[in-house]
Amino acid sequence: MRYASLGDIPAKRHVQFRENGALLVEEVLGFEGFSGNESILYHLWSPCRVKEVGEFEPIEREEWVPDTHVHRLTNTLDLEPFGDPVQGRQLLQYNADVEIAICIPEAEADYFYRDGEGDEVVFVHEGGGVLETIFGSLPFRKHDYVVIPRGTTYRFRFDGPQRWLTFYTPGEIETPNRYRNRYGQLLEHAPFSHRDFHPPATLETHRERGEYDLKVRVRGGYQDYVLDYHPFDVVGWDGYVYPYTFNIDDFEPKAGRLHQPPPAHQTFQGPNFVICSFCPRMLDWDENAIALPYHHSNVQSEEMIYYVDGQFGSRKGVDIGAITLHPSGLPHGPQPGLVEKSLGVTRTEELAVMCDTFKPLKLSALSRDLDDPSYALSWYEEDADRTPTTIP
């Protein structure tokens, strides 16, 4: 990401910086020790200051191990609002690299939150509002990817009902390597530019005193703390680490004379997984082109697709809010009849978010409860007459 700055900062790092005579507290928030990207924040109070240490709550997962290895369809549209923006995330699929969940929060959190061991991506299917953070206020809207780096203290504020697809990773969320030059700038052939990525818009320094609850994800659980100062006490900051938004409608889809494979739609990368955006676009223009994806085998990967809007040409019986999972070891492709139906189509209006993982995904108990077992048989049809039609 590009360099950004908000608020007041001194001319040099690691020097005295005062407000009304009081020495401010400098915090370096960085990746890879002191070798990766970092930001420097200036606080009114020490970020180490804690009034009380509360309980530690381990994160418990109930895994579903199905009796069969098949393609799966998970219907999430009828899920009821539940919980808050953090603990209301309902886990569906996961492995050591990524956790994928649905969040339909019924209320804002009454505490501040920080993920101390991973990066987060929140795809806003429905809703909008403001993400309040130590870096400032970040407005978000429908179809935004909200990317939150680890170490960011935040809370969500809503402007109405919300529906999110969320990702958590103990690794880093980045734009694809092939879209960046050696300086980190996005290249001309990238499907987005730095203008499409939006950092926090405003910084308000909170000086209130009182009791403020903070929940931190660490060591596979949530640790509670009580602070005696408002955690958004930052006077200024600068650097390369901060939360940002990217709207899926700003993704510039690629088209070709013949079908473009999923890497053409890649938006983010993490350790052993990628996130892709399938957006409305023109389709292949060769007169003999088949616009739908060819059948392929996920020999070394698993493909999860969340359906956001429109009609997905290679699938039938899949509604908005549904998730398909095509696991490794099984070929998949368009369902019967859809290839012929697609011939001559010049445009698709589909909108979907895909996550491909390079290690098998585990399924949660919620995936079991929402599973549609008929999807595994949706490629089956009674034997049809395959005799070629004689053309006079």
Side-chain angles (χ1 to χ4, degrees):
M1 298 307 299
R2 61 186 174 186
Y3 172 84
S5 178
L6 273 179
D8 298 325
I9 58 174
K12 298 288 287 184
R13 298 173 298 173
H14 321 320
V15 299
Q16 295 182 38
F17 186 40
R18 297 179 181 273
E19 182 186 77
N20 299 324
L23 186 65
L24 298 177
V25 180
E26 181 185 56
E27 176 193 9
V28 177
L29 192 162
F31 285 67
E32 298 178 13
F34 294 92
S35 301
N37 282 341
E38 69 176 32
S39 287
I40 298 179
L41 305 94
Y42 295 89
H43 296 264
L44 298 175
W45 301 95
S46 167
C48 306
R49 181 185 177 103
V50 173
K51 181 180 179 181
E52 295 177 17
V53 177
E55 298 295 323
F56 178 84
E57 177 188 356
I59 296 174
E60 297 182 359
R61 303 179 183 88
E62 184 181 353
E63 182 184 356
W64 172 43
V65 181
D67 295 330
T68 56
H69 186 74
V70 297
H71 298 314
R72 299 201 174 275
L73 174 63
T74 306
N75 292 305
T76 73
L77 194 60
D78 292 333
L79 283 174
E80 295 293 330
F82 169 76
D84 61 46
V86 175
Q87 295 185 301
R89 299 179 192 184
Q90 302 182 70
L91 185 66
L92 293 169
Q93 303 164 6
Y94 63 100
N95 60 24
D97 301 313
V98 65
E99 297 175 5
I100 304 170
I102 288 292
C103 187
I104 311 169
E106 61 181 349
E108 299 172 347
D110 58 0
Y111 53 87
F112 297 87
Y113 179 68
R114 179 194 309 147
D115 197 318
E117 58 185 10
D119 287 8
E120 301 172 341
V121 178
V122 174
F123 175 74
V124 182
H125 186 170
E126 298 287 348
V130 175
L131 178 68
E132 298 177 343
T133 81
I134 53 173
F135 295 95
S137 295
L138 180 67
F140 68 94
R141 60 190 174 95
K142 182 178 179 178
H143 293 173
D144 268 346
Y145 290 102
V146 184
V147 181
I148 310 171
R150 74 198 61 207
T152 302
T153 303
Y154 69 82
R155 65 181 179 185
F156 278 96
R157 289 292 183 253
F158 305 154
D159 63 8
Q162 312 286 317
R163 171 180 285 271
W164 305 340
L165 176 70
T166 69
F167 301 88
Y168 157 87
T169 177
E172 293 183 43
I173 293 294
E174 305 173 289
T175 52
N177 290 334
R178 68 182 182 278
Y179 292 149
R180 291 183 265 124
N181 64 22
R182 67 183 186 274
Y183 306 108
Q185 185 174 11
L186 291 168
L187 296 165
E188 283 292 312
H189 70 273
F192 35 58
S193 78
H194 284 293
R195 299 178 185 180
D196 299 320
F197 292 78
H198 305 287
T202 58
L203 176 66
E204 179 184 356
T205 303
H206 287 265
R207 305 171 188 276
E208 303 95 311
R209 301 297 302 275
E211 289 195 349
Y212 300 89
D213 295 326
L214 172 65
K215 190 181 297 290
V216 181
R217 176 169 175 168
V218 285
R219 302 298 188 270
Y222 299 116
Q223 175 65 58
D224 288 333
Y225 303 93
V226 177
L227 310 180
D228 67 347
Y229 65 95
H230 196 294
F232 299 158
D233 68 333
V234 173
V235 172
W237 66 271
D238 74 334
Y240 288 78
V241 176
Y242 50 84
Y244 61 87
T245 60
F246 169 75
N247 196 278
I248 197 172
D249 298 329
D250 286 328
F251 188 87
E252 302 299 336
K254 294 182 180 294
R257 188 169 64 89
L258 299 175
H259 181 74
Q260 299 296 297
H265 309 288
Q266 186 180 349
T267 310
F268 300 107
Q269 67 183 27
N272 299 310
F273 73 92
V274 299
I275 297 174
C276 299
S277 303
F278 292 107
C279 299
R281 62 194 183 277
M282 302 302 296
L283 292 175
D284 325 323
W285 54 82
D286 187 276
E287 62 179 7
N288 290 316
I290 295 178
L292 296 188
Y294 36 78
H295 285 73
H296 53 287
S297 295
N298 288 353
V299 178
Q300 291 180 305
S301 64
E302 311 226 332
E303 176 195 273
M304 183 283 296
I305 299 180
Y306 177 79
Y307 297 83
V308 178
D309 202 0
Q311 178 63 44
F312 212 70
S314 60
R315 298 284 174 268
K316 55 186 177 182
V318 177
D319 297 322
I320 292 171
I323 292 174
T324 55
L325 175 63
H326 301 140
S328 56
L330 300 177
H332 69 275
Q335 291 162 321
L338 296 183
V339 170
E340 288 282 357
K341 184 179 179 181
S342 74
L343 298 181
V345 175
T346 60
R347 182 175 173 83
T348 177
E349 299 300 329
E350 69 191 24
L351 188 63
V353 174
M354 183 180 82
C355 181
D356 265 10
T357 68
F358 300 114
K359 295 180 181 178
L361 285 165
K362 299 178 181 180
L363 300 175
S364 71
L366 180 61
S367 288
R368 175 196 60 209
D369 297 341
L370 303 179
D371 185 62
D372 180 354
S374 68
Y375 181 69
L377 302 177
S378 62
W379 285 266
Y380 178 80
E381 60 179 349
E382 295 292 338
D383 291 342
D385 182 6
R386 305 288 293 180
T387 304
T389 302
T390 301
I391 301 177

